[in-house]
Amino acid sequence: MKELEIIIKPEKLETVKSILDEFHCGGMTISSVMGCGTQRGNIDEETNVIKGMKTNINLLPKIRVEVVVDEEKVENLIARISEKVATGNAGDGKIFIRSIEEVVRIRTGERGKKAL
Ligand SMILES: Nc1ncnc2c1ncn2[C@@H]1O[C@H](COP(=O)(O)OP(=O)(O)OP(=O)(O)O)[C@@H](O)[C@H]1O
Ligand SMILES: [Mg+2]
């Protein structure tokens, strides 16, 4: 099992939710976060114009989507998200991928893939 931590612009949340549904992901966790990438947030994300000095860190609102999936789905999921979310402009986001050792469905005690 792998966890994808998908950081996106807020306006892409509905797109990502639909993709996770399409892939029959068992669940998801969504948080509203602040963040910056290599431009340190000093970019107009509409026009892609750098606004200031890179030394000033400016945190922008982002959405974090956490989803744990069967490893077999990972590459197709990444491809689909990238296809639908990429605009070509800075700030489109990132996907961090981690291995997940175990999962337990509390109601039934099921473990592993069947508990997703
Ligand atoms: N190295 C990182 N560690 C933790 N969070 C990160 C990292 N890079 C990006 N993020 C998170 O992802 C969000 C989007 O990053 P962003 O898409 O701007 O990445 P980037 O590396 O600057 O790429 P781009 O040049 O396409 O903008 C950030 O606002 C931050 O929340
Ligand atoms: Mg960036």
Side-chain angles (χ1 to χ4, degrees):
M1 292 172 290
K2 297 278 188 191
E3 180 191 16
L4 304 191
E5 178 183 343
I6 308 157
I7 316 250
I8 48 169
K9 292 185 184 179
E11 63 264 30
K12 294 293 184 181
L13 176 58
E14 288 306 316
T15 305
V16 171
K17 275 166 59 186
S18 306
I19 296 169
L20 297 184
D21 193 31
E22 183 190 313
F23 276 74
H24 305 293
C25 294
M28 66 190 78
T29 304
I30 310 287
S31 334
S32 184
V33 296
M34 302 293 284
C36 68
T38 49
Q39 294 81 16
R40 296 288 180 257
N42 294 300
I43 187 154
D44 182 326
E45 291 190 337
E46 298 297 312
T47 60
N48 220 25
V49 170
I50 303 279
K51 291 193 291 194
M53 301 291 287
K54 278 192 174 182
T55 46
N56 294 331
I57 291 182
N58 180 33
L59 300 176
L60 300 171
K62 299 285 170 180
I63 295 287
R64 178 174 62 210
V65 179
E66 292 160 292
V67 60
V68 178
V69 297
D70 185 341
E71 254 170 85
E72 288 171 10
K73 290 184 180 171
V74 170
E75 287 306 322
N76 286 339
L77 197 45
I78 292 170
R80 189 94 173 106
I81 292 168
S82 304
E83 174 198 340
K84 290 289 184 183
V85 171
T87 64
N89 290 336
D92 278 346
K94 278 196 181 151
I95 306 175
F96 297 97
I97 301 146
R98 300 186 186 88
S99 293
I100 293 291
E101 276 180 36
E102 187 58 295
V103 51
V104 179
R105 174 173 284 119
I106 292 175
R107 175 172 58 86
T108 59
E110 290 166 292
R111 286 177 175 247
K113 280 196 262 182
K114 62 180 180 300
L116 288 178

